[in-house]
Structure formats: C-alpha cells, structure tokens
Amino acid sequence: MTSTRNTHGTTAGETIATASDATQGVLDPLMQRPSHAGRADSGTRIATVIDSDADLWFEVDLDDGQGSLRCRRVASCLLLPAPGDTVLITSTRQGDSFVIAVVAQADPRQATLAVDGDLTLVSRSGGIRARSAGPMALESDTSIVMQSPEWRTQARQAHCEIGEMDYQGGHIRFSVLVSRFVGRACEVVLDRFNLLTRSSFRLTEEVEQVRAGQLDIEAEQTLRLHSKNTLLTSKGLVKVDAEQIHMG
C-alpha cells in the first residue's frame, strides 16, 4: 500500500504520530502533578503524645510506625495535649510539625485550656455560662477581669482566699442565717450606724472606751451597773431622781 502525501510533503501516518507525541508531552506534567487530596492525606497523621516541654513543644509517636516528631501546638488547639493523648498532627513542606487537634484523651476526667497571651471570651448576643460536675479552676499570672451588667454566682459551698481586697459599690445587702467574723482588728468609719437586735451580748476582756458628744442609755425594766470601783464625775451637775433612792 502506498501512502498519500499532502501538500506539505508528510504522510497521514506521520501526521497522526506527530499529534500523538505533542499530546503526550502536554499530559506528562499533568499526570505527574499530585492532587490536593493526596497532599492533604500525606500531611495529616495520627500520633500519640509521649512527652511535653513546658507545654510549648510536644514529642509524639506516629501511629504509622515512622518514628517520633517534635511538634508545636497551633493557636486554634486550645485543649492542652497531655502524655498519652491521641492527637492529629500536620507537617509543612519546610519540615515543621504542628498538633492541630486532640482526638482522644488518655484521662478524660481532666482537661486544660491554655493560651500563650491574654484570653478574652465575648458573647455579643447572649450570656456565658460555665458548668462543671467537678472542681473548676481559673488561673492567671496577672489578673482576671469580669465585666457584666449582672453577675450571679450560685454554689452550695464556697471558699475564698484573698490577700487584699478593695470593694466599691453603691449598695450591699446580706441575708444570712448565721454569720461569724474572726480577725485581729476591725475598723469601721461611718456617718451613721443603726443596729436592731432581739438579744445582744458583748464581752470585752480588757478595756472598752466610749467617746460621745451625748450618750443616752434607756432600759425599760432594769439598768444595772456593777464593778469593784465605780466613779461618777461631772463638771456641772449630777442629778439622781427616783421615787425611792437607797444608799448603802
């Protein structure tokens, strides 16, 4: 069979072969380029935390048997990994590895949320509620600030240990069944003091002094003054008035 040549001097078979070679040259780089799914699968792996260095670096053991890595925690992973936890890690092309999530905790009874800087919780259209079946702790090296139009705290038992406390407010009210204050010194400065009780008892072991511009004491039944030595002195007038006066 004789092949026909076109006006350019090439046969039909040579034209088909040339087109096939050109197409293959374009497809080869595309076939060799990895897909996005392949890169994501190869960069994300499961590991187990072995140890941590001041909660900044974590040594993990890869579950695929490829050895161990030193990883840092990403900013979005607020749950602090602990030894024995199963974590999800990812690696960059530069060789850096990061813990991006805690998959399962070795001890689910305790968890720590940790950040490197200041932490602010903001609820723009609702409230913030914290609920725990066990102890809950808030720790800060500098300060803890709570600001809200209304603050409510409810607990069956509370313990508060404060080195120094300053309170400023417009009105305060206590409604308690039993209260007890134990201290070394108490100083109260007021413009007015009102005390209403059904029964009152006060015991002073050493010295009790009262300084007043005017002192008015009234008893409906009996007023008794008793001491080893009693002194009544006045610069102006001493008046004793009663239906009966017994001296001696």
Side-chain angles (χ1 to χ4, degrees):
M1 179 181 299
T2 59
S3 61
T4 59
R5 292 183 176 271
N6 54 20
T7 57
H8 297 284
T10 59
T11 62
E14 293 174 349
T15 302
I16 295 174
T18 301
S20 177
D21 293 341
T23 304
Q24 187 66 27
V26 175
L27 292 179
D28 285 342
L30 297 178
M31 296 297 294
Q32 295 175 1
R33 183 180 302 172
S35 63
H36 295 283
R39 289 202 305 269
D41 294 340
S42 62
T44 304
R45 289 171 288 181
I46 298 294
T48 303
V49 178
I50 302 175
D51 194 7
S52 62
D53 182 10
D55 298 335
L56 298 177
W57 291 90
F58 300 90
E59 185 177 356
V60 299
D61 187 14
L62 300 176
D63 288 358
D64 55 6
Q66 297 297 324
S68 60
L69 290 175
R70 281 178 58 86
C71 307
R72 288 183 297 171
R73 184 167 53 100
V74 297
S76 61
C77 183
L78 300 181
L79 183 60
L80 188 65
D85 290 354
T86 302
V87 296
L88 187 66
I89 67 170
T90 184
S91 301
T92 63
R93 293 181 179 179
Q94 290 77 15
D96 298 329
S97 299
F98 298 91
V99 177
I100 60 178
V102 176
V103 179
Q105 292 182 276
D107 187 4
R109 295 174 300 176
Q110 56 182 355
T112 302
L113 300 181
V115 296
D116 296 333
D118 296 338
L119 176 63
T120 303
L121 299 179
V122 178
S123 177
R124 301 188 183 279
S125 60
I128 298 177
R129 176 176 297 179
R131 179 179 298 177
S132 174
M136 183 175 62
L138 295 176
E139 297 182 2
S140 174
D141 294 335
T142 56
S143 63
I144 297 177
V145 179
M146 296 182 183
Q147 183 176 358
S148 175
E150 185 177 356
W151 181 31
R152 294 186 179 182
T153 302
Q154 183 177 0
R156 297 181 59 183
Q157 189 174 6
H159 300 276
C160 183
E161 296 182 4
I162 300 176
E164 184 177 353
M165 180 177 178
D166 294 331
Y167 172 80
Q168 295 180 359
H171 180 75
I172 185 171
R173 181 178 60 187
F174 294 97
S175 298
V176 297
L177 296 177
V178 178
S179 64
R180 178 179 298 175
F181 298 93
V182 179
R184 290 189 176 182
C186 179
E187 183 177 353
V188 180
V189 179
L190 301 172
D191 289 337
R192 184 177 180 181
F193 179 71
N194 295 331
L195 178 63
L196 300 178
T197 63
R198 180 173 296 179
S199 177
S200 175
F201 175 78
R202 185 172 61 189
L203 175 63
T204 303
E205 293 184 357
E206 295 182 359
V207 179
E208 180 173 345
Q209 298 180 355
V210 177
R211 299 291 187 269
Q214 293 183 358
L215 182 62
D216 184 3
I217 299 176
E218 181 180 352
E220 293 182 358
Q221 300 295 330
T222 303
L223 176 62
R224 178 176 179 268
L225 296 175
H226 176 73
S227 66
K228 183 177 181 180
N229 298 310
T230 302
L231 301 177
L232 282 175
T233 62
S234 175
K235 291 182 178 181
L237 174 66
V238 175
K239 181 179 179 181
V240 178
D241 185 10
E243 294 181 357
Q244 295 182 5
I245 297 176
H246 298 272
M247 306 285 293

